[in-house]
Amino acid sequence: MRKRKVEIEAYVSPYNRQLDCTNLTFYDSTLRDGEQMAGLSFTPEQKLEIARMLDEMQVPQIEVGFPACSETERKAIKKIVSEKLDAKILCLSRIVKEDLDHAIDCGVDTALLFVSCSDIQILNSHVKKEEIAKKVEFSVEYLKKHGIKPSFSTMDSTRGDISLQIELFGIALRAGARRLGITDTLGCISPDSFQILVSKIKEKINSFGYGQVGKEIELSVHCHNDFGLALANAISGIQAGATAVATTTMGIGERAGNVPTEQFVMAMKYLYGIDLGIKTEYFSKLAKKIARFAKLKIPPNAPFVGSNAFAHESGIHVQSVLSQPFSFEPVSPEVVGNRRKIILGKHSGTAGLKFALSRIGLELSDDVMKKVLEEVKKQGEKKGKVSYKDLIKICKEVS
């Protein structure tokens, strides 16, 4: 279908509650957490191309990698840094001096420090809790001394001891960090419980006397999707006071992945009234590029960027959409760089068939059209989708 100028972008529920969060931001971690998807590796050239596109879309912060991973990784990060993009460049770092030196050498704007806070992970790492506190303090001070903004997050926050987390956040603040993070590393907390957890931690952070979350202090949430609740948890985190969210394109990442960038941005803009300033029309193009680089197939039903996100076959739906697209579409496909598709198959009706015939330049009598539709439905039952090539053949045989 031809591209058209979009006058009204969306038609969503009038019952949506708007969020009051003027300083909300997000950081796209496709090049770090996204790349940690099992079996996935971007080349330095691919990383640079993706970073450029994210920057062109006006993504405010891009987490570009984990410098300690390899020399190739460090070269890729340095190349992206040398591009002097508008986006702030972030990298991941453990609280060990070697990692810190790599981050400093790469010249990133912010290093995302992390440490496990759950008993199961701490025991498995063979590091004593007393040592963790000292390392957090050293790492934050060391980064600040070398001109790198430190961000400190607890890993496995949703299974960890809240007292330990609050203690570590206090140490990080005292050492000079003004960005802290809560992580649902295993994606194993419910949205209502996450909201309570983030609220409690925020309250304690505000009580330390180093500033308030949302003003002097940033509070980020990093949510995984193991129970399919990453986006819901991110939104709950924001409702509790978080001011930054980690995302990846299409939600790719470890195990079941992360908060999908496109879904988060669209939900914020059209459901919660927060426009993050992203050029959303790039979403489909970006998804295709990353899928090609990663040798992945975009799920057809992926919201906004999937091939079926704006595809219609059912006769009732097609008839309505051709007359008024918002009858069965909450947003216009052009908004995310996708396109509407009218599919022929088992569920097709006269409206869909007439549309398809117009696309291939055929006009049929009502009697012939009825026979063609019957055959379309039969073939749809056998193979699902009926192509235009199939339709032309059917028309010739019926006529």
Side-chain angles (χ1 to χ4, degrees), residues 185-229:
T185 306
L186 278 297
C188 58
I189 193 170
S190 64
D192 52 334
S193 299
F194 192 54
Q195 186 169 357
I196 293 171
L197 177 64
V198 174
S199 295
K200 286 183 177 179
I201 292 176
K202 175 193 171 185
E203 183 180 346
K204 289 295 184 180
I205 290 171
N206 288 342
S207 71
F208 283 124
Y210 296 101
Q212 299 294 297
V213 171
K215 294 181 179 179
E216 299 86 0
I217 300 171
E218 297 174 79
L219 181 60
S220 68
V221 291
H222 184 125
C223 306
H224 280 263
N225 205 38
D226 297 72
F227 276 82
L229 294 170

Side-chain angles (χ1 to χ4, degrees), residues 347-399:
H347 306 96
S348 293
T350 303
L353 178 57
K354 284 183 177 180
F355 175 84
L357 290 171
S358 70
R359 301 298 291 173
I360 59 177
L362 290 179
E363 289 187 18
L364 303 177
S365 67
D366 291 344
D367 289 341
V368 173
M369 189 178 300
K370 184 177 180 180
K371 294 177 181 178
V372 169
L373 182 58
E374 288 176 357
E375 186 60 31
V376 165
K377 287 176 173 289
K378 287 179 182 178
Q379 290 198 19
E381 289 176 344
K382 293 179 180 179
K383 60 180 184 180
K385 181 180 177 181
V386 177
S387 68
Y388 281 180
K389 183 178 180 180
D390 294 330
L391 178 60
I392 293 172
K393 184 178 180 181
I394 292 171
C395 289
K396 288 180 178 178
E397 292 174 349
V398 171
S399 300

Side-chain angles (χ1 to χ4, degrees), residues 35 41-48 72 76:
E35 193 189 24
S41 176
F42 293 124
T43 67
E45 294 75 22
Q46 290 171 341
K47 281 202 164 195
L48 179 59
T72 301

Side-chain angles (χ1 to χ4, degrees), residues 318-336:
V318 170
Q319 185 175 10
S320 297
V321 165
L322 291 175
S323 175
Q324 170 48 265
F326 287 128
S327 296
F328 286 97
E329 291 175 355
V331 299
S332 294
E334 293 87 349
V335 170
V336 290

Side-chain angles (χ1 to χ4, degrees), residues 10 49 77 330 346:
E49 191 171 336
I77 293 172
K346 171 184 175 179

